[in-house]
Amino acid sequence: MNSSKYVYQFKEGSASMKELLGGKGANLAEMTRIGLPVPPGFTITTEGCNYYFDRGRKLSEELKAEIFKNLKQLEGITGKKFGDKENPLLVSVRSGAVISMPGMMDTILNLGLNDTTLHGIVKGTGNARFSWDCYRRFIQMFGNIVMKIDHYKFENIIEGIKEKRGVKYDIELTTEDLKEIVELYKGLFKQETKQEFPHDPREQLLMAIKAVFDSWNNQRARVYRKLQNIPDDLGTAVNVQAMVFGNMGDDSGTGVGFTRNPSTGEKEVYGEFLINAQGEDVVAGIRTPLPIKELENKMPEIYKQFVEVCSLLESHYKDMQDIEFTIEKGKLYLLQTRTGKRTAAAAVKIAVDMVEEGLINKEEAVLRVEPKQVEQLLHRQIDPDTRFDVLTKGLPASPGAASGMVIFDADEAEKLGEEGQKVILVRPETTPDDIHGIIPAQGILTSRGGMTSHAAVVARGMGKPCVCGCEEIKINLEADKFIVGDTVVNKGDIITIDGATGNVILGEVEMIDPVLSGEFQQLLEWADEIRQLGVRANADTPEDAVKARDFGAEGIGLCRTEHMFMSQERLPIVQEMILAETKEEREKALKKLLPLQQGDFEGILKAMEGYPVTIRLLDPPLHEFLPNIEELLVEITKLKITGENKEELKNKQRLYKKVKNLAEFNPMLGHRGCRLGIVYPEIYVMQARAIFQATANLVKQGVDVKPEIMIPLVGHKKELEILRELVVETAEAIMADTQTRFDFKVGTMIEIPRACVTADEIAEAADFFSFGTNDLTQTTFGFSRDDAEGKFLHHYISKKILSENPFAVLDTKGVGSLIDTAVKLARAIKGYLKIGICGEHGGDPTSIEFCHNIGLDYVSCSPYRVPIARLAAAHSAIKSKNKK
Amino acid sequence: MNSSKYVYQFKEGSASMKELLGGKGANLAEMTRIGLPVPPGFTITTEGCNYYFDRGRKLSEELKAEIFKNLKQLEGITGKKFGDKENPLLVSVRSGAVISMPGMMDTILNLGLNDTTLHGIVKGTGNARFSWDCYRRFIQMFGNIVMKIDHYKFENIIEGIKEKRGVKYDIELTTEDLKEIVELYKGLFKQETKQEFPHDPREQLLMAIKAVFDSWNNQRARVYRKLQNIPDDLGTAVNVQAMVFGNMGDDSGTGVGFTRNPSTGEKEVYGEFLINAQGEDVVAGIRTPLPIKELENKMPEIYKQFVEVCSLLESHYKDMQDIEFTIEKGKLYLLQTRTGKRTAAAAVKIAVDMVEEGLINKEEAVLRVEPKQVEQLLHRQIDPDTRFDVLTKGLPASPGAASGMVIFDADEAEKLGEEGQKVILVRPETTPDDIHGIIPAQGILTSRGGMTSHAAVVARGMGKPCVCGCEEIKINLEADKFIVGDTVVNKGDIITIDGATGNVILGEVEMIDPVLSGEFQQLLEWADEIRQLGVRANADTPEDAVKARDFGAEGIGLCRTEHMFMSQERLPIVQEMILAETKEEREKALKKLLPLQQGDFEGILKAMEGYPVTIRLLDPPLHEFLPNIEELLVEITKLKITGENKEELKNKQRLYKKVKNLAEFNPMLGHRGCRLGIVYPEIYVMQARAIFQATANLVKQGVDVKPEIMIPLVGHKKELEILRELVVETAEAIMADTQTRFDFKVGTMIEIPRACVTADEIAEAADFFSFGTNDLTQTTFGFSRDDAEGKFLHHYISKKILSENPFAVLDTKGVGSLIDTAVKLARAIKGYLKIGICGEHGGDPTSIEFCHNIGLDYVSCSPYRVPIARLAAAHSAIKSKNKK
């Protein structure tokens, strides 16, 4: 490339020259190249920008000459002349960096206007008011953008004139008013800049170009580049384009259009237009635009041409386009085309249709749909066309929306739920004691607790909407009401919660149901063909397992046995087990739990026939199953003072002592996970027995089951060795008892930094690894999620210390480095070790890409996120293939 | 080496042949070699042992022939004959592995005795009773050890005879009784083994040798080898040695001796002996042995010879020896020499004296004293000669012993302390509210909390004895007493606690004071010359700083500013700061704290003139400074029920709400460390200002100060960047204000796994790193120390999942791997980065060795452990030099 060429006519460029011409310039060139009617213009390149800075922010004489040479060409093409009083050429000047960036200079329209050329425009448009308004706007834009005169100073002048005239809207100003404003603007310009407003259009142009270049190095752009790691020497291009006007009479107009319906994806031109108008008029909302189809009646030729353009653009760009156009005196001009934004449903339909039309292949179709976007297709949601007022906002703990009457008590929620009423359970926080109230509720709202609080975890597991940690809500349980600011919400009032946004809304809001369209199913099948990562689901019940299978899960990656402990009829037995003074007492309670657990496992294993089911043995600290210690203390204090019911007092005191004894300073780092199995092997033995008895029963029925027993929170190989032996012995005993043979695996969750750095040792005792990235993120950062999300994480994100919540998007630099170390260490010992991830990150597209790149075998996520994970896994596979 | 030679006479071997002859055999050979009077004998080698196993546990004919050839030689040397009825040769048979090992076979004495040779012994000793007793013992040892006949079956026979005779002690049995026992033993032997007791001495010998070999592969030895990673093919040697008898009349005797005083280290022969006796008689305690010096009167020639032997052994082994000897008919025999055990004080004196005597060099002297051992020299301790009964045991939280009256209330402890009374503060657990009671107390005893509980940390910081987590103690605060089992201890009763062992003792116990002898000082100076690691101390007050300097600290590695917040007069201001609703209120409280903190820093910086002082900014969660939430709740409940004092109720409720709001689920992973500085920068600014104003004041006085500001709990480089800027700005402002210039450093604690794996990024913003291994161990293991030590860690250690408490001895495999990663990443970016460690591990010798090996610059530990660290650092340097 000739390094001394800094200016290109649109017709000289193409889409492939994006680095030189910037995004906008390359796009305008491309449309010109393929023969679309684009108002002519030229681009000053990004190299020109660097040249400008290299010369100390000066436009060299050579560069100026090149610009004017191209301006001359533009005059030739348009038949108009810059600065001419009869038929003046007006241009727009726009910045156009390679990567679009906040802080860069805005558009300047109508450049070339002055007291002389104005008259040419008045003549050409036949509209003096419009022409003067153009002039006013140009001075304002130029003064503000190029000369940095504060915007409000221009607005003050307009406001002054409106006041004088006694009018309210700009549109009510007359031509004379506008003339007066132009004069006042010129005065302001001189006062602020100590120079006259430049009447020479060439001077205007050079000043505007310099301003674009300078905006590349303003504070905001520099900070943005630093944050985004964009090199400072990319530079920005400048686009200079002939103006066209859609308001030159009834044979003119302006509009926007989509090549397909961006809402549904239907293959039809879509959009709206206005006759004799400019783009601003559409925005101002004074005239109502017409649907694009009516153009067929008003200007049949133009409509035909427009449809052809749409078709051409689609076949050229191979994607749905969002087009801006202007009709000037019966001639169609395209001002912009870009890939059109669309709803998730439209994205899916368009992608699948385009494959069928032969425009794109399956991989391209899969890449066209963002995994994050399809989440909206998977939950009941608030109708996007509905308007509502948000009462307050909490943490978006479990997606989906729900309406129902506010109920503060789990027993009452259960009762009403059984009666078929829709209720939203509202609690300061929930505990296992509330589970019977959560099951029948439409959704959960809590004022305390983070994204892993009991309410959040249980709700996500059930696919039930939940907003938690909504601290603005002051709950008064005694008065059966909550207050937000001045608003009082009483028991029985209807509210709506949106677990995807955290919104809490008064009253009922229109909802729409999730639809897994045929196209979506098709797209996911293609994704399945492409992806290398397996996709499993986290599910704790047979119902969830069925749901997961329906959504395409190829197994259960995490079945949390503790959730089976939390149902109302089981909790007393669990508490009996925990409070047992002796091993014998404990075993007695465990014996009662055994058949219940066995039933759970039979259901899940059967539902997932043919697929592996990873069952995690008991993980949480035992005191999570016990009554709240503060409530106990209050009861004891009351009983002491009243002196009534000495027996009750003694019982409560005994219970308090035990609960206190089991309480921990940092339960997250306390006596939980495999540490329970080490100290109370009888608990793990009971669970293993329940799993294997279920397995044996199913094997006898001819069901193909693949149980995988997962030991949680292992940090040392000996923990796994000891517990593995326990599990294997139990399995062998049951095979002998039941005269059956079955396969099973024993593996571990990797969720402790020590497990990562000693993964080579641990791998020796494991058939599989599953990264528990929730806990691994907590321990690697030293963040307690429940505390961090309530207390300081928002500071960290708002101060940009962290760019994302590491509990939602995997921290690849820190946590990821430990995961990578673990995979490498383990695979060096056992190349065939199956490795997956079952933390919440398993359903997050960015994190899934990381999992793909480091060679994991599968991801596991909540059933509702399985389609997202399938799609994201396919994206990752395509991206890494394309990189090679 | 001739591989077919399996037997060596003692005179053929040497100390260097330990692998072949085993430890005992090589040692006996060495003594023989240097001309000491050792009863002659021979060793069957470890290769012989492997040969035996290779042949399927069979002694080959060749091996047997070689054994008997050597036996023949032994007969020649001793002039006695195996199996002879006149002058029979008796031998002992002992195992002798390379590494001594539990489970290996015991000694068999008097082998060669039978009905015939017995009479030769009777004749030779002139003592029929002794001879028959030897015979009885031989049959019993042989039956038990070689033939595995249960010990109690022999004892039953003796008991039966004693009952029949109506006597109580073995010594009262007559020769006739012993003859009867021998007959009964023979019967038992036949009954149990279905064979006659072997009368052929050669058969006895071969059976005994086989038994020694077999014991190499018994269950206990195999398990031990597996645990200790000792290869199974090392094998054991067998030593066959001629018996000598010290009970052949008044020209015979037996004794043990040390070449120096093992208690004080004085250079003098030390030990005791008995005339006409065997070793067993000394153990039986029936006759009182005489001090070795009296041997000079009784047998001057033997004494002279003994002193010469001592001198020879010392100059040969270059260490103090522990010797067993027997005098048979006026002739001195040495049965064993080994390095003598000694007290810490003796170890130090002997090492230093031996350098002065030219026996060893300084490095050898330093290596002679185990760092762990000298801990007993650094604290007041229970007199080791005192006998006492232990009431119960808790965690050994802070070493040293103390006696005092039991006091349950901090106010009362303070009052009595001021009156000069000695008190032990006994609490369920302590909080900052108790600090005024801890300061005057002799020691602290708590029933809850682990090694990092408030009591433990504060006590260690003060060098005050503390036993914590003593769960057997049931404290009844209302009744001013505590109960252990049946024992009631009331307020005012005297108890003694030993913080090095965790012992709690009723009453007062004799104590001894620590003495840092001249020799110890000398040894530490030599250590300083050798070591490469710097040694600093963790100190929070000027008094501690002075103490640390006296003990040889070269700076403060950790000064915890929060401890300055905990004194009684400051706590209300701190609480005011924490409970502030606005930034302004908080800054008002901080302003009050500023001069107090500044005073603290001036004192410490001045005390450490010329040395660096690393000051950590506020680290613990703020609610640690607030009242106990359960107590508040009880008070509120009471006030509610009684209905009195509505105002008080409101205040308490307001306070409860705030405390509850600040409470965290997992405070260890919560809003603490630099997260406080990020959310409340004004707190860190106040602290930085206090440090730099103190610095400026001292600089003006000409004091050489080196403040190093340490940001705690950094996990992301941006945290450090932001807070570093804050500190640097504050310093610059104060330099400008005070017209001074001073140097300072800003660094960070590395105590979060994420900090380790992103240490390259963090290093860019740091002048130094200091590993906070307490928290790093917690996060790497996912262990909350307070919970782990109370709930499951003892299971982990007793089940050998962990060989040591990782909070006492650094887990080099897991935590160490992260530290190593961090050092490598950081040094790759900044080769000169100063890196130290300031966790408790900084005072643990094994952990110090690790720090040396990975190239840290310094360790920092409590002042009382500084001498240990100096010594351990020198050990590490020598060991790594010797490895090269």
Side-chain angles (χ1 to χ4, degrees), chain A residues 630 656 669 678 719 796 799, chain B residues 630 656 678 719 796 799:
Chain A
E630 289 194 11
Y656 169 80
L669 306 178
I678 295 286
E719 293 171 322
Y796 270 60
K799 290 191 180 172
Chain B
E630 289 195 12
Y656 169 80
I678 294 285
E719 293 172 322
Y796 270 60
K799 290 191 180 173

Side-chain angles (χ1 to χ4, degrees), chain A residues 497-515:
Chain A
I497 60 171
D498 184 346
T501 59
N503 285 340
V504 179
I505 301 153
L506 267 187
E508 204 163 346
V509 182
E510 279 297 304
M511 303 274 182
I512 53 173
D513 267 330
V515 198

Side-chain angles (χ1 to χ4, degrees), chain A residues 630 656 660-661 665-669 675 678 719 752 754 761 780-782 784 787 791 796 799 811, chain B residues 630 656 660 663 665-669 675 678 719 752 754 780-782 784 787 796 799 811 813:
Chain A
E630 289 194 11
Y656 169 80
K660 183 87 185 162
N661 203 28
F665 297 101
N666 299 289
M668 153 71 204
L669 306 178
R675 299 159 197 171
I678 295 286
E719 293 171 322
I752 292 289
R754 196 181 189 285
E761 295 184 348
T780 303
F781 272 90
S784 160
D787 300 313
K791 298 234 157 55
Y796 270 60
K799 290 191 180 172
D811 159 49
Chain B
E630 289 195 12
Y656 169 80
K660 182 86 184 166
F665 297 101
N666 299 288
M668 153 71 204
L669 304 178
R675 300 160 197 171
I678 294 285
E719 293 172 322
I752 293 290
R754 199 181 187 283
T780 304
F781 273 90
S784 159
D787 300 313
Y796 270 60
K799 290 191 180 173
D811 160 48
K813 170 81 193 168

Side-chain angles (χ1 to χ4, degrees), chain B residues 455-748:
Chain B
V457 171
V458 169
R460 278 198 298 275
M462 296 180 179
K464 205 179 276 292
C466 175
V467 171
C468 66
C470 190
E471 302 202 348
E472 277 184 3
I473 287 185
K474 306 298 167 203
I475 299 179
N476 186 335
L477 291 177
E478 285 169 27
D480 264 338
K481 65 182 181 184
F482 72 76
I483 300 173
V484 182
D486 300 332
T487 310
V488 178
V489 179
N490 290 300
K491 184 177 92 169
D493 290 355
I494 303 290
I495 62 168
T496 298
I497 61 171
D498 184 345
T501 60
N503 284 342
V504 179
I505 301 153
L506 268 187
E508 204 163 345
V509 182
E510 280 295 307
M511 303 274 184
I512 52 173
D513 266 330
V515 198
L516 258 71
S517 64
E519 283 94 354
F520 195 16
Q521 304 271 21
Q522 177 63 73
L523 192 80
L524 289 173
E525 276 170 33
W526 293 339
D528 291 344
E529 291 167 17
I530 294 164
R531 69 185 159 88
Q532 289 148 23
L533 273 174
V535 176
R536 298 192 189 181
N538 301 346
D540 308 334
T541 62
E543 297 74 41
D544 280 356
V546 169
K547 217 177 293 164
R549 234 188 140 126
D550 286 349
F551 278 136
E554 302 154 318
I556 300 296
L558 176 61
C559 170
R560 283 158 293 212
T561 53
E562 60 268 23
H563 288 174
M564 304 170 184
F565 280 19
M566 286 182 174
S567 69
Q568 217 191 355
E569 72 277 17
R570 296 184 188 181
L571 201 55
I573 312 177
V574 175
Q575 293 183 344
E576 184 187 328
M577 168 192 88
I578 296 168
L579 299 173
E581 298 276 4
T582 64
K583 194 171 169 177
E584 287 65 39
E585 271 181 54
R586 192 157 41 245
E587 284 180 335
K588 216 176 101 192
L590 285 168
K591 214 171 230 170
K592 293 188 211 164
L593 283 173
L594 177 63
L596 303 171
Q597 283 248 299
Q598 187 179 328
D600 298 326
F601 294 135
E602 269 190 54
I604 290 175
L605 287 166
K606 196 166 182 176
M608 293 308 287
E609 176 168 14
Y611 284 133
V613 176
T614 306
I615 299 167
R616 178 176 73 185
L617 301 188
L618 193 65
D619 181 51
L622 296 181
H623 60 79
E624 275 196 12
F625 300 99
L626 296 179
N628 179 290
I629 198 159
E630 289 195 12
E631 283 171 20
L632 265 176
L633 200 60
V634 169
E635 285 169 30
I636 287 169
T637 310
K638 280 183 187 165
L639 285 167
K640 266 188 184 167
I641 292 178
T642 58
E644 299 157 8
N645 211 336
K646 300 270 181 204
E647 197 54 35
E648 174 81 355
L649 174 61
K650 260 191 193 158
N651 286 338
K652 293 272 178 197
Q653 280 177 322
R654 207 173 303 136
L655 187 59
Y656 169 80
K657 232 168 147 179
K658 284 186 181 171
V659 175
K660 182 86 184 166
N661 203 28
L662 280 165
E664 293 182 299
F665 297 101
N666 299 288
M668 153 71 204
L669 304 178
H671 194 189
R672 49 170 292 231
C674 68
R675 300 160 197 171
L676 293 172
I678 294 285
V679 177
Y680 308 115
E682 54 276 15
I683 298 179
Y684 274 21
V685 168
M686 179 282 283
Q687 294 198 298
R689 188 166 290 158
I691 293 167
F692 293 128
Q693 284 179 0
T695 302
N697 280 352
L698 291 168
V699 165
K700 280 186 182 166
Q701 295 165 33
V703 183
D704 174 21
V705 291
K706 301 187 191 317
E708 303 184 335
I709 285 75
M710 181 152 72
I711 311 293
L713 219 69
V714 163
H716 197 292
K717 63 166 177 174
K718 285 191 187 155
E719 293 172 322
L720 184 56
E721 283 170 0
I722 290 171
L723 295 172
R724 182 193 180 93
E725 202 175 314
L726 208 70
V727 170
V728 170
E729 276 170 7
T730 306
E732 283 168 356
I734 284 166
M735 288 191 212
D737 283 358
T738 58
Q739 297 285 321
T740 51
R741 300 288 316 160
F742 48 81
D743 283 334
F744 63 95
K745 287 188 161 68
V746 184
T748 177

Side-chain angles (χ1 to χ4, degrees), chain A residues 228-244:
Chain A
Q228 301 291 324
N229 284 320
I230 298 171
D232 279 335
D233 61 359
L234 273 189
T236 182
V238 184
N239 298 296
V240 178
Q241 187 175 25
M243 290 293 300
V244 286

Side-chain angles (χ1 to χ4, degrees), chain B residues 280-322:
Chain B
E280 291 167 327
D281 299 329
V282 182
V283 178
I286 292 154
R287 291 164 59 192
T288 304
L290 301 170
I292 198 89
K293 297 243 164 98
E294 294 209 14
L295 193 61
E296 195 168 5
N297 304 327
K298 306 268 180 185
M299 302 181 183
E301 270 312 305
I302 294 287
Y303 180 74
K304 207 179 131 207
Q305 199 186 340
F306 179 75
V307 170
E308 279 165 12
V309 163
C310 284
S311 169
L312 181 64
L313 281 173
E314 268 208 354
S315 67
H316 186 68
Y317 284 102
K318 302 190 191 305
D319 200 355
M320 187 263 268
Q321 295 295 298
D322 169 358

